[in-house]
Amino acid sequence: MRTNGAATMNSENFSLSERLVSASYVRQGSQARRGHEQLIRLLLEQGKCPEEGWSESTIELFLNELALMDSNNFLGNCGVGEREGRVASGLVARRHYRLIHGIGRSGDIAAVQPKAAGSSLLNKITNSVVLDILKVAGVRSVSSCFVLPMATGMSLTLCFLTLRHRRPKAKYIIWPRIDQKSCFKAMVTAGFEPVVVENVLEGDELRTDLQAVESRIQELGPDSVLCVHSTTSCFAPRVPDRLEELALMCAKYDVPHIVNNAYGVQSSKCMHLIQQGARVGRIDAFVQSLDKNFMVPVGGAIIAGFDEAFVQEISRMYPGRASASPSLDVLITLLTLGTGGYRRLLKERKEMYTFLAEELKTLAAAHGERLLHTPHNPISLAMSLGSLEKQNQKAVTQLGSMLFTRQVSGARVVPLGTEQTVSGHTFRGFMSHSAHYPCPYLNAASAVGITRDDVALCVKRLDKCLRSFGREKRDQSGPEEPSITESSVTEADATELNTTEPCAADTEGDSSH
Ligand SMILES: *Cc1c(COP(=O)(O)O)cnc(C)c1O
């Protein structure tokens, strides 16, 4: 009875119960239980995300039943091995629904673990439900995927390491520039030399320089190129790479193609690009973050592809067993939301993108700035800060720290002329995806889960900050409420905190080691 009373109620037990409680009541109770079981049966039968989300009691019943199938929960188990799923803290056991064995076997993260039938089942079901959701989100022809308990950067590294076995002569990865450190480091950590291809400016947008990518493949020779590493989701004014054309080029030169789709599952446009790329040309794998797309804690990613054998090869590269937590979190989340609930979240996100764009456009106009015209970026927006900078050279970075102290998170201020060295490569105009972007700007994104209040409050606070700069100019008395908290955040902090948001932390003088 410790794990779940209902879990012990088979038909025999129901019959026995009729001795204690009226038979008609027991029958009603057993029918109610069958309702939950019916949902579980459908899940096991179809391996798809249910259209309608499950109640927490169905989910807990299901997880408890899975846990009872793992050897650490067998009543008669005696363990004499070095890994027996022992957990000292009850709190830890409950946090994991008593699923302690993790996933995979020493040789393959997708393999079934004999000691843990329940955890193995959990892993298979999660991968199957996630595959279904990738199809629902727009990549209809995806054939295989798996959840990895590593974030996006390390998952990309694993893809590159897998390709290495297929292309022993390859040294280079061709990478249309995107100023995000983890995806750059993913290549360096795997032991390859990134060949950075600068983007071209088209209107306000930064787009893939297809000609330059093709020239690099020709100059280096296709055999010495491990793959083209392209990106969908990114900060405006960069827009998703031209995936169709890149996929065609990769097919033409027989060069693999890995797509960084970090937060692209939430955008039908990014998913459509991947679907089209794979249809007309070559995409070997695409990688996406669990937390950015499914509102779960940081720590997992999905590697997906169109050739089951290649995806399996990647899962076999993973040495050892792995944490089941990211799989468990995303399974619980998708069962809770259902396909319907996830679709609703995506629809709301899209509406908030339009709302955010309108609000920023109005705000920009009121301050002599403009919303940059980046229609190919479905998630991130950018508002120019050129007038602000003309007023006051330091205002742009100051704005970053002001927004930080006003608890506006995720708004990212991008000044011009920042130079940064990451793993030995120096990026001019770092953060702006370009060595020469014409103006400084501010980014804001409409990502899954964002609310109307998030947008309204952010715009209101941003307006207040920008107005304080205007006043400062008029009365020369410094910006409004120069608070203690604000001056305690140094300019360097501000640059880290509100300008390099997802790639923060290390100030990369570390090229020497
Ligand atoms: C978030 C993100 C990554 C990877 O970050 P992780 O912390 O490894 O998940 C890579 N590229 C882009 C464009 C991203 O947004």
Side-chain angles (χ1 to χ4, degrees):
M1 298 297 272
R2 200 161 49 104
T3 40
N4 187 319
T8 65
M9 296 302 277
N10 54 35
S11 58
E12 202 180 332
N13 286 354
F14 275 120
S15 304
L16 289 170
S17 302
E18 288 175 7
R19 292 198 207 159
L20 305 167
V21 175
S22 144
S24 67
Y25 296 167
V26 169
R27 210 174 313 123
Q28 199 177 29
S30 91
Q31 271 162 11
R33 181 182 161 108
R34 265 207 298 281
H36 295 285
E37 283 172 343
Q38 179 71 359
L39 294 172
I40 296 172
R41 188 176 66 77
L42 274 178
L43 174 70
L44 292 170
E45 212 170 74
Q46 304 177 340
K48 286 184 175 169
C49 187
E51 176 61 32
E52 216 177 298
W54 288 5
S55 70
E56 289 189 6
S57 44
T58 308
I59 295 175
E60 290 194 311
L61 171 68
F62 178 49
L63 295 178
N64 282 321
E65 300 245 1
L66 288 179
L68 291 178
M69 295 166 73
D70 281 7
S71 60
N72 58 297
N73 298 312
F74 293 176
L75 292 178
N77 197 61
C78 60
V80 292
E82 81 293 359
R83 183 182 263 166
E84 292 293 343
R86 297 184 184 110
V87 167
S89 158
L91 208 56
V92 171
R94 286 200 296 283
R95 179 169 114 76
H96 296 272
Y97 283 92
R98 298 192 166 76
L99 292 156
I100 309 299
H101 272 288
I103 54 174
R105 285 186 94 169
S106 40
D108 181 351
I109 196 174
V112 169
Q113 172 58 238
K115 274 185 191 169
S119 292
S120 303
L121 198 52
L122 165 93
N123 189 32
K124 298 265 183 199
I125 292 166
T126 302
N127 290 342
S128 168
V129 165
V130 165
L131 186 71
D132 183 45
I133 281 290
L134 291 179
K135 289 178 187 168
V136 166
V139 183
R140 288 184 317 278
S141 64
V142 61
S143 73
S144 181
C145 78
F146 65 100
V147 168
L148 260 176
M150 304 191 296
T152 320
M154 275 303 285
S155 299
L156 284 165
T157 297
L158 194 67
C159 293
F160 302 140
L161 290 172
T162 307
L163 283 175
R164 175 155 73 174
H165 292 276
R166 294 191 164 190
R167 300 173 74 77
K169 280 184 252 159
K171 284 211 301 247
Y172 305 102
I173 296 178
I174 297 181
W175 182 65
R177 175 170 170 183
I178 163 160
D179 292 0
Q180 207 284 348
K181 285 188 206 165
S182 1
C183 51
F184 184 78
K185 287 188 169 178
M187 300 181 279
V188 178
T189 301
F192 295 94
E193 188 175 319
V195 177
V196 182
V197 175
E198 291 288 333
N199 299 297
V200 286
L201 189 63
E202 288 181 22
D204 287 336
E205 292 185 333
L206 289 164
R207 307 201 68 181
T208 320
D209 188 341
L210 291 168
Q211 228 168 13
V213 171
E214 187 157 20
S215 307
R216 290 305 108 77
I217 296 176
Q218 289 168 342
E219 287 156 22
L220 297 165
D223 279 353
S224 65
V225 176
L226 182 84
C227 64
V228 171
H229 172 197
S230 65
T231 307
T232 55
S233 54
C234 59
F235 291 116
R238 191 194 193 280
V239 302
D241 276 318
R242 294 177 182 273
L243 280 212
E244 259 187 63
E245 293 89 335
L246 287 175
L248 275 167
M249 206 182 289
C250 288
K252 177 179 167 191
Y253 291 98
D254 200 18
V255 168
H257 184 190
I258 304 289
V259 180
N260 175 6
N261 188 41
Y263 46 104
V265 182
Q266 63 191 284
S267 149
S268 54
K269 239 183 212 174
C270 292
M271 295 302 265
H272 181 72
L273 282 174
I274 294 171
Q275 173 63 35
Q276 283 302 100
R279 194 177 63 79
V280 303
R282 177 167 182 174
I283 291 178
D284 294 70
F286 58 106
V287 181
Q288 36 270 308
S289 160
L290 281 187
D291 61 278
K292 288 180 189 171
N293 292 295
F294 298 105
M295 300 169 77
V296 293
V298 169
I302 305 163
I303 297 182
F306 304 89
D307 171 15
E308 211 168 329
F310 180 60
V311 175
Q312 201 170 60
E313 205 176 314
I314 305 172
S315 83
R316 290 210 178 113
M317 279 289 290
Y318 190 99
R321 264 197 250 182
S323 168
S325 290
S327 299
L328 185 57
D329 287 342
V330 76
L331 180 64
I332 292 174
T333 300
L334 290 175
L335 291 178
T336 303
L337 290 172
T339 317
Y342 191 60
R343 275 207 204 90
R344 246 185 327 275
L345 277 175
L346 299 193
K347 184 167 160 276
E348 285 163 17
R349 186 207 73 77
K350 214 178 257 184
E351 288 162 6
M352 283 309 107
Y353 171 86
T354 309
F355 179 50
L356 178 64
E358 284 163 359
E359 292 289 295
L360 284 178
K361 198 169 176 180
T362 311
L363 180 75
H367 293 280
E369 304 287 356
R370 63 194 188 87
L371 181 67
L372 300 181
H373 187 59
T374 55
H376 290 98
N377 193 319
I379 300 171
S380 168
L381 292 156
M383 179 184 121
S384 74
L385 294 175
S387 309
L388 182 68
E389 194 193 39
K390 261 186 221 129
Q391 254 179 58
N392 172 352
Q393 278 267 297
K394 284 196 170 158
V396 173
T397 42
Q398 263 171 19
L399 179 63
S401 77
M402 286 170 85
L403 289 172
F404 175 74
T405 56
R406 280 161 183 74
Q407 300 180 26
V408 178
S409 63
R412 168 180 181 267
V413 169
V414 180
L416 290 182
T418 311
E419 204 172 276
Q420 180 138 34
T421 302
V422 185
S423 308
H425 188 281
T426 300
F427 292 90
R428 291 177 58 205
F430 189 69
M431 285 161 31
S432 71
H433 320 287
S434 161
H436 317 281
Y437 200 71
C439 66
Y441 57 85
L442 173 135
N443 279 133
S446 174
V448 68
I450 191 173
T451 63
R452 188 163 277 269
D453 276 354
D454 288 327
V455 175
L457 255 180
C458 154
V459 169
K460 192 174 151 199
R461 290 177 188 169
L462 183 55
D463 183 40
K464 224 171 153 187
C465 292
L466 288 169
R467 266 188 287 148
S468 76
F469 283 112
R471 255 199 299 288
E472 177 189 18
K473 192 185 164 198
R474 275 196 304 282
D475 58 20
Q476 298 293 312
S477 62
E480 171 210 58
E481 337 158 15
S483 62
I484 300 163
T485 35
E486 203 163 294
S487 50
S488 69
V489 175
T490 66
E491 209 165 282
D493 284 340
T495 311
E496 285 304 325
L497 293 167
N498 249 3
T499 57
T500 64
E501 213 261 318
C503 34
D506 45 348
T507 342
E508 290 307 325
D510 67 350
S511 49
S512 54
H513 48 267

